[in-house]
Amino acid sequence: SEVHYYIVLASQVKKKNAEVYVDELKVKGYKDTRLFIKNNIIRVVYGDFKTESDAYNQLNNLQKDEYFIDAWVYKTIINKEMT
C-alpha cells in the first residue's frame, strides 16, 4: 500500500455536481482535477502528491485562486492491488 496526498476542493458532494465542477476546473487549466471516491464519499481532488509537504507547498501556491481558498490536504492509503 502507498500513502497519497490530494488537495481537496469539495467533499461529500453529489456525483453529478462533482463532475460538473471537475469539468469547470479543467477548463480553467487545472488538468489534474478529478473525482476521488472512497467509502462512498465523493471528493473533488487536485494532484497526487507523495509527501505532505509537497501537497502543502502546492496548496499554498494555489490558494491565490478563488477555487482553492477553502481547499485542504487529504491523506489516504491506496492498496496497490486496487489501483
Side-chain angles (χ1 to χ4, degrees):
S1 57
E2 289 183 348
V3 176
H4 291 256
Y5 297 88
Y6 303 107
I7 295 172
V8 178
L9 294 124
S11 186
Q12 299 186 357
V13 287
K14 290 188 173 74
K15 190 172 184 185
K16 184 74 188 144
N17 293 350
E19 287 168 347
V20 169
Y21 195 40
V22 166
D23 290 343
E24 186 180 322
L25 283 152
K26 286 188 174 192
V27 167
K28 296 280 185 191
Y30 297 109
K31 304 291 184 211
D32 290 339
T33 307
R34 62 190 170 83
L35 291 187
F36 181 81
I37 303 169
K38 186 172 181 181
N39 301 330
N40 293 322
I41 296 172
I42 298 169
R43 294 180 174 92
V44 175
V45 301
Y46 177 82
D48 182 351
F49 306 92
K50 297 288 179 223
T51 70
E52 192 173 23
S53 63
D54 285 348
Y56 276 106
N57 286 339
Q58 186 67 50
L59 178 58
N60 288 339
N61 291 333
L62 291 168
Q63 280 186 320
K64 300 175 194 88
D65 190 303
E66 61 181 323
Y67 290 105
F68 290 87
I69 288 171
D70 294 323
W72 48 280
V73 171
Y74 172 69
K75 174 185 177 180
T76 189
I77 296 171
I78 297 179
N79 296 324
K80 279 212 178 229
E81 312 85 62
M82 296 171 63
T83 57

